[in-house]
Amino acid sequence: MRVEFKDGGAMTNNFNVESFDLTGLFTALAQEDFNRAADLPKGFTGESPSAVAMLAVARTVLSKKPKAEPR
């Protein structure tokens, strides 16, 4: 896996197929940068990985607890 950042720099990680967790990866990315997490799966060629990634992003956004308003 290689992620390149807009402002420069990159991060590379190697995973075994058994330990690679597409859902976990996109859940973490959606928590940090929703727009990027929502755009990345559009470039996937496989329908299944794209669906898994988009569902992980959607689940992350929908499960976010609203911040308590100050009283």
Side-chain angles (χ1 to χ4, degrees):
M1 167 184 79
R2 181 170 174 83
V3 178
E4 295 183 13
F5 302 101
K6 286 189 230 180
D7 300 329
M11 179 178 75
T12 303
N13 287 324
N14 294 316
F15 296 97
N16 295 334
V17 173
E18 295 83 24
S19 67
F20 186 76
D21 179 18
L22 194 60
T23 300
L25 175 70
F26 275 88
T27 297
L29 183 58
Q31 291 171 345
E32 294 296 320
D33 186 351
F34 169 77
N35 292 326
R36 180 126 174 129
D39 284 340
L40 281 175
K42 295 175 185 175
F44 290 178
T45 55
E47 191 174 298
S48 178
S50 178
V52 168
M54 289 301 291
L55 288 171
V57 171
R59 188 177 301 115
T60 302
V61 171
L62 293 173
S63 68
K64 279 188 178 180
K65 294 184 168 89
K67 294 181 181 178
E69 293 184 24
R71 293 180 185 212

